[in-house]
Amino acid sequence: LLISKPLTIMGTEGVIIDGENVENVITIQSNNVTIKDIEIQNGAQSGVYVKESESITIEGTTLQNVMHGIHIEGGSDYQISENTISSVVGGFSEKGHGMYLAGGTNYKIENNTIYSVLDGIYSEKVDTLYVNENTITFSRYAVHLMFNKDALVENNHLEGNITGIMCMDSQGIELIGNTIVDHFNVRGFGLIIYDSSEVEIVKNEVRLNSTGL
């Protein structure tokens, strides 16, 4: 399904969009698009793929058996909330990310449940990112920040991943009030901060990890 003009797609109970294992189940190439209350499944690449768009809302949607749940390249002003996301069956090398954010600015990611993926939220070269009250389990890195600027990650529950938060080559990062527990893999950490600057770590609950920080 290709969306190339402003549009709202709102489902009712039982509405399913099945990609039948083609590349992307839904592709968005327009500003002012809302996807709400739909089940999206069986995408060889992504459940929802967004290319250089603005003012996009994805809410209340279940994405399952897709490589990446939501894959965004560039653009601005994204609201992603109250979604449930899982990847394909298999090991980490066979899975994609719950959310794959490649560039762009001004993301709000709130109240999502993400599990059985490669990285829960993978964010690269993003400017202004807000990640709040998400639950992420059974991933490699629950939150993975690469080359980001100005990110607030707060009040998230990260449990049973290999590592809770991985922050690399980023600037202006606030990690506040997160629960980061049960990362016992031999390669696992509660938090890893690598080659980053202006990082604030405040009031997080970091326990039952192989290494906390």
Side-chain angles (χ1 to χ4, degrees), residues 104-140:
T105 184
N106 195 20
Y107 289 82
K108 292 184 179 179
I109 299 173
E110 301 178 280
N111 298 298
N112 299 282
T113 299
I114 304 172
Y115 64 95
S116 295
V117 294
L118 180 55
D119 293 348
I121 299 169
Y122 176 79
S123 175
E124 181 176 344
K125 297 181 180 179
V126 166
D127 188 349
T128 311
L129 171 68
Y130 180 52
V131 178
N132 177 54
E133 294 191 354
N134 302 281
T135 297
I136 304 175
T137 56
F138 305 116
S139 74
R140 181 185 63 168

Side-chain angles (χ1 to χ4, degrees), residues 86-203:
S86 59
S87 189
V88 297
V89 174
F92 286 137
S93 63
E94 301 170 274
K95 296 179 183 293
H97 304 308
M99 299 185 194
Y100 183 179
L101 315 178
T105 184
N106 195 20
Y107 289 82
K108 292 184 179 179
I109 299 173
E110 301 178 280
N111 298 298
N112 299 282
T113 299
I114 304 172
Y115 64 95
S116 295
V117 294
L118 180 55
D119 293 348
I121 299 169
Y122 176 79
S123 175
E124 181 176 344
K125 297 181 180 179
V126 166
D127 188 349
T128 311
L129 171 68
Y130 180 52
V131 178
N132 177 54
E133 294 191 354
N134 302 281
T135 297
I136 304 175
T137 56
F138 305 116
S139 74
R140 181 185 63 168
Y141 305 136
V143 177
H144 190 176
L145 308 177
M146 292 280 293
F147 310 109
N148 280 241
K149 183 178 180 182
D150 297 331
L152 171 57
V153 179
E154 65 173 351
N155 301 327
N156 299 282
H157 185 93
L158 315 177
E159 182 173 358
N161 309 283
I162 291 180
T163 290
I165 297 175
M166 166 71 86
C167 178
M168 299 181 66
D169 296 288
S170 295
Q171 178 183 5
I173 308 300
E174 298 176 90
L175 309 174
I176 300 174
N178 300 287
T179 300
I180 306 170
V181 298
D182 193 20
H183 300 98
F184 269 129
N185 188 280
V186 67
R187 298 179 290 118
F189 297 83
L191 303 95
I192 300 176
I193 311 298
Y194 177 81
D195 204 17
S196 296
S197 61
E198 300 175 33
V199 178
E200 183 176 0
I201 304 171
V202 178
K203 294 183 179 180

Side-chain angles (χ1 to χ4, degrees), residues 53-73:
S53 300
E54 298 180 2
S55 300
I56 305 298
T57 298
I58 304 170
E59 181 181 338
T61 294
T62 297
L63 301 106
Q64 60 187 359
N65 198 38
V66 292
M67 180 60 70
H68 304 299
I70 298 169
H71 182 186
I72 298 174
E73 293 188 359

